[in-house]
Amino acid sequence: MVSGWFAGDGNDFRLLGTRCSACASVFFPREDAHCRNPGCPGGDLAEVALSGRGRVWSYTDSRYRPPSPYVTDAELPWEPRALIAVELAAERIVVLGQSVPGVTVADLTVGMEVEIVPGVLNEDAETTWTTWHWRPTGVTA
């Protein structure tokens, strides 16, 4: 998907954000130019790996094919996916992402623990576009 937004694989897979040295605000997507906190005088921004687990803050499902730049095969029927907003308590931010395949809104509750795992956004004969997915803890699929 976007270079520099995540790194690693398996249990070491993490989203990458940035933290301001002056106010300790954490940003995702990452910010490399200046601190986005309006009350901050500005500080150096350093890359940080975000927490690998968080709690469901909210969720919904996508019943429509998203517009470009989302990559999808228009010849195939659209399959709804659960979208999860996850609160990362240590960073004090909420990060949106898709659920792992097979997890629907019926499987989710606000407050349940989820973990970040690598996923596939789309693939064709030449390219696999990778992304992150949220998976309820204890689910291995």
Side-chain angles (χ1 to χ4, degrees), residues 7 19 38 40 65 71 74 78 104 132 138:
R19 181 185 313 271
C40 179
R65 186 181 310 274
V71 179
W78 176 251
T104 69
W132 65 92

Side-chain angles (χ1 to χ4, degrees), residues 16-35:
L16 301 175
T18 48
R19 181 185 313 271
C20 175
S21 63
C23 69
S25 293
V26 175
F27 305 104
F28 182 84
R30 60 185 299 126
E31 175 60 65
D32 293 313
H34 55 74
C35 181

Side-chain angles (χ1 to χ4, degrees), residues 53-100:
R53 290 181 179 217
R55 300 224 170 254
V56 174
W57 184 76
S58 185
Y59 58 92
T60 190
D61 57 358
S62 61
R63 293 275 170 195
Y64 64 92
R65 186 181 310 274
S68 179
Y70 188 86
V71 179
T72 135
D73 185 343
E75 299 297 318
L76 297 175
W78 176 251
E79 294 183 31
R81 293 292 295 271
L83 301 174
I84 309 173
V86 177
E87 181 179 26
L88 302 179
E91 292 86 356
R92 297 180 9 201
I93 62 174
V94 174
V95 176
L96 184 65
Q98 292 182 342
S99 68
V100 294

